[in-house]
Amino acid sequence: MTTASAPRILDGFDWEGKIYSDGWRAGDAESIPVSDKSTGERLGTLGIASANDVARAAASAARAQVAWAATPRDERAAILARAKDLLAEHRDEFAWWLVRESGSTIPKASFEIDVTLAKFDQIISELRTGAFEEVLADDGGYRSVAQRVPLGVVGVIGPFNFPLYLCLRAVLPALAFGNAVVLKPDQQTAVASGILTAEIFAEAGLPKGVLHVLPGDAEPGAALAVDPNVAMIAFTGSSAVGKLIGSAAGGNLKRVSLELGGNSPFVVLEDADIEAAARCGAWGSFLHQGQICMASSRHLVHESIADAYAAGSRHTRSGSSLATLRPATCTFAGPRARNRSTLANGNGAYQRSDGER
């Protein structure tokens, strides 16, 4: 893995302080620093999009989408295949940024890249082999045909925790099947999920205007949800923000895909192998510092083994198997976990471990 120098994929162009919208240009909003979440080291400067940037990008995407939808499927598949090859070629650089932007461990970053590559393979295969027209049963001498057609422009709003995969999981099928995309990656992890993504697609030959990358926080996301040129919103993030996006998009009759925060119980019954359960429970709670919607947020343990399970969890957490999962100093999970701990203690819970960051 690259550790001593910045990723090579960024060396060939001036990305700092810029958004990707018909090429690299400055965004209307003020730029922000990109930092290493574990050390606070400044890694670069990120361009931030405004609502006006979103409006311009969505209009450009709507114009570019017409020709992109008319591009033969094999040509679209070839461009996606080249982008996949570039991701594989530069996986060390992608991992470098995933580790530093999101507080990820190296194994987690590698896993995220692997599942993203697999998603490329799946979408490319569906594009090349899938049926997009179906002859329907009819009577009376009529011929009825159902045909799948692109929506137009798809807005994708990505999260900070698994930024590369959870952005491209929506971007890839949208592009593959003839849509243009306006991607708003979370500004905390926008290089790995947005800046690098824009560059591999540009190098792969994706026509200008088909993909726009507009990092930012609430303002560009809200603008994307109501823009008249955007036919669908795909959002992954918190339930609170998902409600706002769903309401705004629904009010404008957009299609919406929402994957929101989880609240996952980990149940341990009285006949469980306590050591194995404690290890699995610790893994479920502390993988990627708990910054996962499927993280084990509650442990429901039979009272007859509760003390033994708590003791096993404390031992597992401090053991070598979790040495790489120490929380980074600048992640979102820390304050949220502290708030939940305070709430639990105020409602009758008692703390079995020190609970310090």
Side-chain angles (χ1 to χ4, degrees):
M1 156 161 284
T2 304
T3 57
S5 60
R8 293 183 303 275
I9 196 172
L10 297 184
D11 291 345
F13 64 96
D14 181 16
W15 65 275
E16 292 201 43
K18 296 181 179 179
I19 61 175
Y20 185 76
S21 187
D22 293 312
W24 294 98
R25 64 174 183 82
D28 284 349
E30 185 175 352
S31 299
I32 64 171
V34 181
S35 63
D36 185 321
K37 298 301 186 295
S38 64
T39 67
E41 175 190 1
R42 183 167 179 148
L43 303 174
T45 303
L46 182 69
I48 298 296
S50 69
N52 288 333
D53 289 319
V54 170
R56 287 193 292 266
S60 170
R63 292 191 295 270
Q65 185 270 334
V66 178
W68 177 241
T71 301
R73 294 204 303 268
D74 283 347
E75 292 184 24
R76 280 185 260 144
I79 290 172
L80 264 64
R82 287 196 292 271
K84 179 214 166 185
D85 290 342
L86 286 166
L87 170 57
E89 178 184 346
H90 293 285
R91 67 175 296 142
D92 281 358
E93 288 90 23
F94 276 83
W96 192 94
W97 282 100
L98 286 169
V99 167
R100 280 150 184 81
E101 279 195 301
S102 70
S104 170
T105 62
I106 295 172
K108 180 266 180 188
S110 182
F111 170 77
E112 183 170 355
I113 292 168
D114 286 340
V115 295
T116 304
L117 291 170
K119 178 58 68 173
F120 266 102
D121 286 335
Q122 175 196 345
I123 297 303
I124 292 167
S125 175
E126 290 180 6
L127 182 58
R128 285 173 168 161
T129 63
F132 297 88
E133 187 173 278
E134 181 182 0
V135 178
L136 305 177
D138 59 71
D139 47 34
Y142 293 95
R143 183 175 186 270
S144 299
V145 177
Q147 187 177 32
R148 295 181 179 272
V149 297
L151 290 171
V153 178
V154 176
V156 177
I157 302 175
F160 69 93
N161 54 352
F162 268 69
L164 178 65
Y165 175 69
L166 293 179
C167 284
L168 287 186
R169 181 185 61 176
V171 168
L172 292 178
L175 290 178
F177 301 120
N179 301 282
V181 172
V182 179
L183 166 64
K184 192 206 78 66
D186 190 286
Q187 64 186 26
Q188 298 296 318
T189 52
V191 177
S193 60
I195 303 300
L196 291 171
T197 294
E199 186 59 16
I200 64 170
F201 275 106
E203 291 187 22
L206 187 70
K208 185 175 290 188
V210 175
L211 173 65
H212 300 255
V213 177
L214 310 180
D217 202 355
E219 180 184 342
L224 200 57
V226 299
D227 191 282
N229 283 305
V230 177
M232 177 179 177
I233 297 291
F235 170 76
T236 304
S238 72
S239 297
V241 176
K243 289 178 181 179
L244 297 175
I245 290 174
S247 176
N252 288 273
L253 299 180
K254 300 179 189 293
R255 298 194 186 190
V256 183
S257 172
L258 303 175
E259 181 179 344
L260 309 180
N263 189 7
S264 307
F266 184 83
V267 180
V268 185
L269 302 181
E270 58 185 325
D271 60 347
D273 179 325
I274 296 175
E275 180 181 356
R279 288 186 176 276
C280 291
W283 176 261
S285 289
F286 299 125
L287 175 62
H288 195 37
Q289 296 82 250
Q291 299 177 118
I292 301 173
C293 62
M294 296 180 290
S296 302
S297 55
R298 293 170 292 146
H299 295 243
L300 306 181
V301 184
H302 193 277
E303 60 183 353
S304 66
I305 59 169
D307 289 339
Y309 179 80
S313 297
R314 289 199 300 274
H315 173 74
T316 300
R317 190 191 60 187
S318 61
S320 59
S321 64
L322 288 177
T324 60
L325 300 180
R326 292 189 299 271
T329 59
C330 302
T331 64
F332 291 166
R336 186 172 298 169
R338 184 165 58 246
N339 291 340
R340 288 179 177 175
S341 176
T342 301
L343 178 64
N345 289 336
N347 284 276
Y350 59 94
Q351 203 156 306
R352 301 296 296 264
S353 183
D354 54 24
E356 295 297 324
R357 295 180 73 197

